[in-house]
Amino acid sequence: MKWPSLLSVVCLCLLVHSACGTADRARRLFGGQLTLRVDVAPDANRDSPIAVDLLVVYDEGLLDQLISLDATQYFAQRRQLRRDRPDDFDWWSYEWVPGQQTQQLQLPFASGARAAIVYARYVTPGAHRVRVDPRTPHRLVLGSERFDVLPYDA
């Protein structure tokens, strides 16, 4: 078989393979964009500003470590985590006030993303942490005492 023919066969196989349910793996291979719509309730965080960190994690061991932390622990350790593991996750930090209008977020991430984690610093007790798929659009609803992450059709 000649090289041009072999290349055509390989390309065709890759195309068929990607059409058979492996689109998520292909997106993981090439990276993507985390789409997030944020809604801040008028009484969010009992009428206090809310610090929110969004992380896209690339390392499975770090993901296990992060998912075991509640928001209070994470916010206490985040500066050191960024120093110790700068290449193992991307992060974005925000602070919103109750009732604030926000823009839809489009956060680019690199290949190899394992998961995204949302941490919110609420004044109420609780984990205030959610793991999400970074390849799926989400709606972050910041409520009075907790937050929810819901599906979102961007």
Side-chain angles (χ1 to χ4, degrees), residues 102-131:
T102 64
Q103 300 282 332
Q104 179 172 290
L105 302 175
Q106 300 287 335
L107 308 171
F109 59 89
S111 64
R114 300 288 178 226
I117 303 175
V118 181
Y119 290 101
R121 187 182 284 176
Y122 271 80
V123 296
T124 56
H128 304 301
R129 171 201 69 237
V130 173
R131 177 182 175 163

PDB file of all heavy atoms in Angstrom, residues 102-131:
ATOM      1  N   THR A 102     -24.016  39.540  35.665  1.00  0.00           N
ATOM      2  CA  THR A 102     -22.721  39.031  35.213  1.00  0.00           C
ATOM      3  C   THR A 102     -22.765  38.695  33.723  1.00  0.00           C
ATOM      4  O   THR A 102     -23.836  38.504  33.153  1.00  0.00           O
ATOM      5  CB  THR A 102     -22.318  37.756  35.982  1.00  0.00           C
ATOM      6  OG1 THR A 102     -23.265  36.732  35.696  1.00  0.00           O
ATOM      7  CG2 THR A 102     -22.273  38.012  37.482  1.00  0.00           C
ATOM      8  N   GLN A 103     -21.608  38.596  33.139  1.00  0.00           N
ATOM      9  CA  GLN A 103     -21.444  38.147  31.767  1.00  0.00           C
ATOM     10  C   GLN A 103     -21.253  36.639  31.775  1.00  0.00           C
ATOM     11  O   GLN A 103     -20.727  36.083  32.747  1.00  0.00           O
ATOM     12  CB  GLN A 103     -20.198  38.786  31.135  1.00  0.00           C
ATOM     13  CG  GLN A 103     -20.229  40.292  31.075  1.00  0.00           C
ATOM     14  CD  GLN A 103     -21.103  40.780  29.943  1.00  0.00           C
ATOM     15  OE1 GLN A 103     -21.270  40.108  28.935  1.00  0.00           O
ATOM     16  NE2 GLN A 103     -21.687  41.954  30.112  1.00  0.00           N
ATOM     17  N   GLN A 104     -21.641  35.993  30.687  1.00  0.00           N
ATOM     18  CA  GLN A 104     -21.342  34.559  30.552  1.00  0.00           C
ATOM     19  C   GLN A 104     -19.825  34.396  30.476  1.00  0.00           C
ATOM     20  O   GLN A 104     -19.148  35.146  29.786  1.00  0.00           O
ATOM     21  CB  GLN A 104     -21.998  34.010  29.290  1.00  0.00           C
ATOM     22  CG  GLN A 104     -21.710  32.544  29.068  1.00  0.00           C
ATOM     23  CD  GLN A 104     -22.524  31.991  27.917  1.00  0.00           C
ATOM     24  OE1 GLN A 104     -23.715  31.856  28.032  1.00  0.00           O
ATOM     25  NE2 GLN A 104     -21.868  31.707  26.821  1.00  0.00           N
ATOM     26  N   LEU A 105     -19.298  33.423  31.191  1.00  0.00           N
ATOM     27  CA  LEU A 105     -17.856  33.182  31.209  1.00  0.00           C
ATOM     28  C   LEU A 105     -17.495  32.137  30.160  1.00  0.00           C
ATOM     29  O   LEU A 105     -18.186  31.133  30.006  1.00  0.00           O
ATOM     30  CB  LEU A 105     -17.418  32.691  32.587  1.00  0.00           C
ATOM     31  CG  LEU A 105     -17.738  33.604  33.769  1.00  0.00           C
ATOM     32  CD1 LEU A 105     -17.339  32.924  35.082  1.00  0.00           C
ATOM     33  CD2 LEU A 105     -17.043  34.939  33.628  1.00  0.00           C
ATOM     34  N   GLN A 106     -16.404  32.367  29.452  1.00  0.00           N
ATOM     35  CA  GLN A 106     -15.822  31.425  28.494  1.00  0.00           C
ATOM     36  C   GLN A 106     -14.371  31.246  28.916  1.00  0.00           C
ATOM     37  O   GLN A 106     -13.539  32.102  28.645  1.00  0.00           O
ATOM     38  CB  GLN A 106     -15.901  31.982  27.068  1.00  0.00           C
ATOM     39  CG  GLN A 106     -17.303  32.266  26.581  1.00  0.00           C
ATOM     40  CD  GLN A 106     -18.070  31.000  26.265  1.00  0.00           C
ATOM     41  OE1 GLN A 106     -17.494  29.960  25.958  1.00  0.00           O
ATOM     42  NE2 GLN A 106     -19.376  31.069  26.347  1.00  0.00           N
ATOM     43  N   LEU A 107     -14.083  30.146  29.601  1.00  0.00           N
ATOM     44  CA  LEU A 107     -12.761  29.939  30.183  1.00  0.00           C
ATOM     45  C   LEU A 107     -12.020  28.833  29.438  1.00  0.00           C
ATOM     46  O   LEU A 107     -12.420  27.668  29.504  1.00  0.00           O
ATOM     47  CB  LEU A 107     -12.921  29.580  31.663  1.00  0.00           C
ATOM     48  CG  LEU A 107     -13.786  30.558  32.472  1.00  0.00           C
ATOM     49  CD1 LEU A 107     -14.064  30.013  33.861  1.00  0.00           C
ATOM     50  CD2 LEU A 107     -13.133  31.920  32.530  1.00  0.00           C
ATOM     51  N   PRO A 108     -10.946  29.175  28.736  1.00  0.00           N
ATOM     52  CA  PRO A 108     -10.222  28.166  27.958  1.00  0.00           C
ATOM     53  C   PRO A 108      -9.400  27.241  28.849  1.00  0.00           C
ATOM     54  O   PRO A 108      -8.833  27.676  29.853  1.00  0.00           O
ATOM     55  CB  PRO A 108      -9.316  29.007  27.069  1.00  0.00           C
ATOM     56  CG  PRO A 108      -9.070  30.248  27.851  1.00  0.00           C
ATOM     57  CD  PRO A 108     -10.339  30.496  28.630  1.00  0.00           C
ATOM     58  N   PHE A 109      -9.373  25.974  28.471  1.00  0.00           N
ATOM     59  CA  PHE A 109      -8.531  25.034  29.198  1.00  0.00           C
ATOM     60  C   PHE A 109      -7.752  24.187  28.202  1.00  0.00           C
ATOM     61  O   PHE A 109      -8.136  24.037  27.049  1.00  0.00           O
ATOM     62  CB  PHE A 109      -9.328  24.171  30.185  1.00  0.00           C
ATOM     63  CG  PHE A 109     -10.414  23.339  29.578  1.00  0.00           C
ATOM     64  CD1 PHE A 109     -10.158  22.062  29.103  1.00  0.00           C
ATOM     65  CD2 PHE A 109     -11.705  23.825  29.503  1.00  0.00           C
ATOM     66  CE1 PHE A 109     -11.165  21.290  28.550  1.00  0.00           C
ATOM     67  CE2 PHE A 109     -12.726  23.060  28.958  1.00  0.00           C
ATOM     68  CZ  PHE A 109     -12.458  21.786  28.483  1.00  0.00           C
ATOM     69  N   ALA A 110      -6.641  23.640  28.670  1.00  0.00           N
ATOM     70  CA  ALA A 110      -5.727  22.874  27.830  1.00  0.00           C
ATOM     71  C   ALA A 110      -6.168  21.419  27.724  1.00  0.00           C
ATOM     72  O   ALA A 110      -7.135  20.991  28.352  1.00  0.00           O
ATOM     73  CB  ALA A 110      -4.313  22.965  28.399  1.00  0.00           C
ATOM     74  N   SER A 111      -5.429  20.666  26.969  1.00  0.00           N
ATOM     75  CA  SER A 111      -5.731  19.239  26.822  1.00  0.00           C
ATOM     76  C   SER A 111      -5.446  18.497  28.126  1.00  0.00           C
ATOM     77  O   SER A 111      -4.646  18.932  28.941  1.00  0.00           O
ATOM     78  CB  SER A 111      -4.907  18.645  25.684  1.00  0.00           C
ATOM     79  OG  SER A 111      -3.537  18.710  26.000  1.00  0.00           O
ATOM     80  N   GLY A 112      -6.134  17.385  28.312  1.00  0.00           N
ATOM     81  CA  GLY A 112      -5.907  16.535  29.469  1.00  0.00           C
ATOM     82  C   GLY A 112      -6.728  16.889  30.696  1.00  0.00           C
ATOM     83  O   GLY A 112      -6.461  16.371  31.777  1.00  0.00           O
ATOM     84  N   ALA A 113      -7.736  17.744  30.564  1.00  0.00           N
ATOM     85  CA  ALA A 113      -8.554  18.134  31.719  1.00  0.00           C
ATOM     86  C   ALA A 113      -9.302  16.928  32.272  1.00  0.00           C
ATOM     87  O   ALA A 113      -9.942  16.185  31.542  1.00  0.00           O
ATOM     88  CB  ALA A 113      -9.540  19.219  31.312  1.00  0.00           C
ATOM     89  N   ARG A 114      -9.177  16.715  33.565  1.00  0.00           N
ATOM     90  CA  ARG A 114      -9.867  15.611  34.242  1.00  0.00           C
ATOM     91  C   ARG A 114     -11.243  16.029  34.734  1.00  0.00           C
ATOM     92  O   ARG A 114     -12.191  15.267  34.671  1.00  0.00           O
ATOM     93  CB  ARG A 114      -9.050  15.119  35.435  1.00  0.00           C
ATOM     94  CG  ARG A 114      -7.685  14.618  35.060  1.00  0.00           C
ATOM     95  CD  ARG A 114      -7.798  13.285  34.339  1.00  0.00           C
ATOM     96  NE  ARG A 114      -6.476  12.838  33.940  1.00  0.00           N
ATOM     97  CZ  ARG A 114      -6.191  12.366  32.750  1.00  0.00           C
ATOM     98  NH1 ARG A 114      -7.115  12.273  31.829  1.00  0.00           N
ATOM     99  NH2 ARG A 114      -4.983  11.976  32.450  1.00  0.00           N
ATOM    100  N   ALA A 115     -11.333  17.245  35.293  1.00  0.00           N
ATOM    101  CA  ALA A 115     -12.596  17.754  35.828  1.00  0.00           C
ATOM    102  C   ALA A 115     -12.427  19.231  36.144  1.00  0.00           C
ATOM    103  O   ALA A 115     -11.311  19.752  36.158  1.00  0.00           O
ATOM    104  CB  ALA A 115     -13.000  17.003  37.094  1.00  0.00           C
ATOM    105  N   ALA A 116     -13.552  19.870  36.407  1.00  0.00           N
ATOM    106  CA  ALA A 116     -13.549  21.242  36.921  1.00  0.00           C
ATOM    107  C   ALA A 116     -14.166  21.196  38.313  1.00  0.00           C
ATOM    108  O   ALA A 116     -15.009  20.348  38.608  1.00  0.00           O
ATOM    109  CB  ALA A 116     -14.342  22.165  36.015  1.00  0.00           C
ATOM    110  N   ILE A 117     -13.720  22.102  39.167  1.00  0.00           N
ATOM    111  CA  ILE A 117     -14.259  22.206  40.519  1.00  0.00           C
ATOM    112  C   ILE A 117     -14.621  23.665  40.763  1.00  0.00           C
ATOM    113  O   ILE A 117     -13.864  24.570  40.405  1.00  0.00           O
ATOM    114  CB  ILE A 117     -13.250  21.741  41.584  1.00  0.00           C
ATOM    115  CG1 ILE A 117     -12.808  20.302  41.325  1.00  0.00           C
ATOM    116  CG2 ILE A 117     -13.852  21.870  42.991  1.00  0.00           C
ATOM    117  CD1 ILE A 117     -11.719  19.818  42.252  1.00  0.00           C
ATOM    118  N   VAL A 118     -15.789  23.873  41.373  1.00  0.00           N
ATOM    119  CA  VAL A 118     -16.235  25.205  41.768  1.00  0.00           C
ATOM    120  C   VAL A 118     -16.236  25.252  43.288  1.00  0.00           C
ATOM    121  O   VAL A 118     -16.840  24.395  43.943  1.00  0.00           O
ATOM    122  CB  VAL A 118     -17.655  25.504  41.237  1.00  0.00           C
ATOM    123  CG1 VAL A 118     -18.086  26.910  41.639  1.00  0.00           C
ATOM    124  CG2 VAL A 118     -17.743  25.309  39.729  1.00  0.00           C
ATOM    125  N   TYR A 119     -15.548  26.244  43.848  1.00  0.00           N
ATOM    126  CA  TYR A 119     -15.563  26.506  45.287  1.00  0.00           C
ATOM    127  C   TYR A 119     -16.175  27.889  45.500  1.00  0.00           C
ATOM    128  O   TYR A 119     -15.822  28.834  44.786  1.00  0.00           O
ATOM    129  CB  TYR A 119     -14.144  26.550  45.869  1.00  0.00           C
ATOM    130  CG  TYR A 119     -13.425  25.231  45.909  1.00  0.00           C
ATOM    131  CD1 TYR A 119     -12.480  24.909  44.952  1.00  0.00           C
ATOM    132  CD2 TYR A 119     -13.660  24.333  46.941  1.00  0.00           C
ATOM    133  CE1 TYR A 119     -11.792  23.709  45.004  1.00  0.00           C
ATOM    134  CE2 TYR A 119     -12.975  23.128  47.007  1.00  0.00           C
ATOM    135  CZ  TYR A 119     -12.045  22.827  46.030  1.00  0.00           C
ATOM    136  OH  TYR A 119     -11.360  21.634  46.091  1.00  0.00           O
ATOM    137  N   ALA A 120     -17.063  28.008  46.481  1.00  0.00           N
ATOM    138  CA  ALA A 120     -17.659  29.296  46.820  1.00  0.00           C
ATOM    139  C   ALA A 120     -17.504  29.536  48.318  1.00  0.00           C
ATOM    140  O   ALA A 120     -17.778  28.649  49.127  1.00  0.00           O
ATOM    141  CB  ALA A 120     -19.122  29.325  46.421  1.00  0.00           C
ATOM    142  N   ARG A 121     -17.078  30.736  48.672  1.00  0.00           N
ATOM    143  CA  ARG A 121     -16.842  31.080  50.083  1.00  0.00           C
ATOM    144  C   ARG A 121     -18.124  31.685  50.663  1.00  0.00           C
ATOM    145  O   ARG A 121     -18.353  32.884  50.594  1.00  0.00           O
ATOM    146  CB  ARG A 121     -15.681  32.055  50.217  1.00  0.00           C
ATOM    147  CG  ARG A 121     -15.290  32.300  51.665  1.00  0.00           C
ATOM    148  CD  ARG A 121     -14.187  33.284  51.791  1.00  0.00           C
ATOM    149  NE  ARG A 121     -12.925  32.659  51.425  1.00  0.00           N
ATOM    150  CZ  ARG A 121     -11.769  33.316  51.375  1.00  0.00           C
ATOM    151  NH1 ARG A 121     -11.709  34.591  51.636  1.00  0.00           N
ATOM    152  NH2 ARG A 121     -10.672  32.683  51.029  1.00  0.00           N
ATOM    153  N   TYR A 122     -18.929  30.805  51.248  1.00  0.00           N
ATOM    154  CA  TYR A 122     -20.178  31.225  51.882  1.00  0.00           C
ATOM    155  C   TYR A 122     -19.962  31.440  53.375  1.00  0.00           C
ATOM    156  O   TYR A 122     -19.056  30.845  53.975  1.00  0.00           O
ATOM    157  CB  TYR A 122     -21.258  30.152  51.683  1.00  0.00           C
ATOM    158  CG  TYR A 122     -22.060  30.338  50.417  1.00  0.00           C
ATOM    159  CD1 TYR A 122     -21.564  29.939  49.183  1.00  0.00           C
ATOM    160  CD2 TYR A 122     -23.309  30.932  50.461  1.00  0.00           C
ATOM    161  CE1 TYR A 122     -22.297  30.115  48.027  1.00  0.00           C
ATOM    162  CE2 TYR A 122     -24.060  31.117  49.310  1.00  0.00           C
ATOM    163  CZ  TYR A 122     -23.539  30.702  48.092  1.00  0.00           C
ATOM    164  OH  TYR A 122     -24.266  30.899  46.939  1.00  0.00           O
ATOM    165  N   VAL A 123     -20.830  32.254  53.975  1.00  0.00           N
ATOM    166  CA  VAL A 123     -20.764  32.478  55.416  1.00  0.00           C
ATOM    167  C   VAL A 123     -21.450  31.348  56.176  1.00  0.00           C
ATOM    168  O   VAL A 123     -21.258  31.210  57.386  1.00  0.00           O
ATOM    169  CB  VAL A 123     -21.369  33.846  55.811  1.00  0.00           C
ATOM    170  CG1 VAL A 123     -20.557  34.976  55.200  1.00  0.00           C
ATOM    171  CG2 VAL A 123     -22.834  33.950  55.424  1.00  0.00           C
ATOM    172  N   THR A 124     -22.229  30.532  55.491  1.00  0.00           N
ATOM    173  CA  THR A 124     -22.927  29.415  56.112  1.00  0.00           C
ATOM    174  C   THR A 124     -22.043  28.174  56.102  1.00  0.00           C
ATOM    175  O   THR A 124     -21.174  28.026  55.243  1.00  0.00           O
ATOM    176  CB  THR A 124     -24.236  29.110  55.362  1.00  0.00           C
ATOM    177  OG1 THR A 124     -23.931  28.857  53.988  1.00  0.00           O
ATOM    178  CG2 THR A 124     -25.210  30.266  55.476  1.00  0.00           C
ATOM    179  N   PRO A 125     -22.263  27.239  57.051  1.00  0.00           N
ATOM    180  CA  PRO A 125     -21.479  26.002  57.040  1.00  0.00           C
ATOM    181  C   PRO A 125     -21.836  25.122  55.850  1.00  0.00           C
ATOM    182  O   PRO A 125     -22.950  25.175  55.335  1.00  0.00           O
ATOM    183  CB  PRO A 125     -21.861  25.316  58.357  1.00  0.00           C
ATOM    184  CG  PRO A 125     -23.036  26.030  58.901  1.00  0.00           C
ATOM    185  CD  PRO A 125     -23.187  27.321  58.171  1.00  0.00           C
ATOM    186  N   GLY A 126     -20.879  24.325  55.403  1.00  0.00           N
ATOM    187  CA  GLY A 126     -21.105  23.398  54.302  1.00  0.00           C
ATOM    188  C   GLY A 126     -19.860  23.239  53.470  1.00  0.00           C
ATOM    189  O   GLY A 126     -18.897  24.004  53.602  1.00  0.00           O
ATOM    190  N   ALA A 127     -19.874  22.242  52.599  1.00  0.00           N
ATOM    191  CA  ALA A 127     -18.714  21.984  51.738  1.00  0.00           C
ATOM    192  C   ALA A 127     -18.550  23.079  50.687  1.00  0.00           C
ATOM    193  O   ALA A 127     -17.435  23.458  50.344  1.00  0.00           O
ATOM    194  CB  ALA A 127     -18.845  20.626  51.060  1.00  0.00           C
ATOM    195  N   HIS A 128     -19.639  23.581  50.127  1.00  0.00           N
ATOM    196  CA  HIS A 128     -19.623  24.647  49.116  1.00  0.00           C
ATOM    197  C   HIS A 128     -18.602  24.363  48.011  1.00  0.00           C
ATOM    198  O   HIS A 128     -17.784  25.206  47.648  1.00  0.00           O
ATOM    199  CB  HIS A 128     -19.398  26.007  49.760  1.00  0.00           C
ATOM    200  CG  HIS A 128     -20.414  26.327  50.815  1.00  0.00           C
ATOM    201  ND1 HIS A 128     -21.759  26.389  50.556  1.00  0.00           N
ATOM    202  CD2 HIS A 128     -20.282  26.551  52.156  1.00  0.00           C
ATOM    203  CE1 HIS A 128     -22.416  26.668  51.669  1.00  0.00           C
ATOM    204  NE2 HIS A 128     -21.542  26.760  52.656  1.00  0.00           N
ATOM    205  N   ARG A 129     -18.677  23.130  47.505  1.00  0.00           N
ATOM    206  CA  ARG A 129     -17.782  22.640  46.457  1.00  0.00           C
ATOM    207  C   ARG A 129     -18.588  21.738  45.538  1.00  0.00           C
ATOM    208  O   ARG A 129     -19.395  20.936  45.999  1.00  0.00           O
ATOM    209  CB  ARG A 129     -16.644  21.849  47.096  1.00  0.00           C
ATOM    210  CG  ARG A 129     -15.766  21.111  46.102  1.00  0.00           C
ATOM    211  CD  ARG A 129     -15.009  19.961  46.767  1.00  0.00           C
ATOM    212  NE  ARG A 129     -15.921  18.887  47.147  1.00  0.00           N
ATOM    213  CZ  ARG A 129     -16.055  18.414  48.375  1.00  0.00           C
ATOM    214  NH1 ARG A 129     -15.352  18.892  49.379  1.00  0.00           N
ATOM    215  NH2 ARG A 129     -16.908  17.435  48.635  1.00  0.00           N
ATOM    216  N   VAL A 130     -18.356  21.881  44.230  1.00  0.00           N
ATOM    217  CA  VAL A 130     -19.014  21.016  43.256  1.00  0.00           C
ATOM    218  C   VAL A 130     -18.016  20.655  42.165  1.00  0.00           C
ATOM    219  O   VAL A 130     -17.288  21.516  41.670  1.00  0.00           O
ATOM    220  CB  VAL A 130     -20.249  21.702  42.614  1.00  0.00           C
ATOM    221  CG1 VAL A 130     -20.832  20.868  41.495  1.00  0.00           C
ATOM    222  CG2 VAL A 130     -21.312  21.988  43.646  1.00  0.00           C
ATOM    223  N   ARG A 131     -18.010  19.376  41.802  1.00  0.00           N
ATOM    224  CA  ARG A 131     -17.201  18.891  40.672  1.00  0.00           C
ATOM    225  C   ARG A 131     -18.103  18.863  39.450  1.00  0.00           C
ATOM    226  O   ARG A 131     -19.233  18.382  39.514  1.00  0.00           O
ATOM    227  CB  ARG A 131     -16.700  17.489  40.985  1.00  0.00           C
ATOM    228  CG  ARG A 131     -15.918  16.866  39.853  1.00  0.00           C
ATOM    229  CD  ARG A 131     -15.501  15.458  40.213  1.00  0.00           C
ATOM    230  NE  ARG A 131     -14.860  14.829  39.080  1.00  0.00           N
ATOM    231  CZ  ARG A 131     -14.118  13.742  39.166  1.00  0.00           C
ATOM    232  NH1 ARG A 131     -13.940  13.147  40.334  1.00  0.00           N
ATOM    233  NH2 ARG A 131     -13.557  13.226  38.092  1.00  0.00           N
TER     234      ARG A 131
END
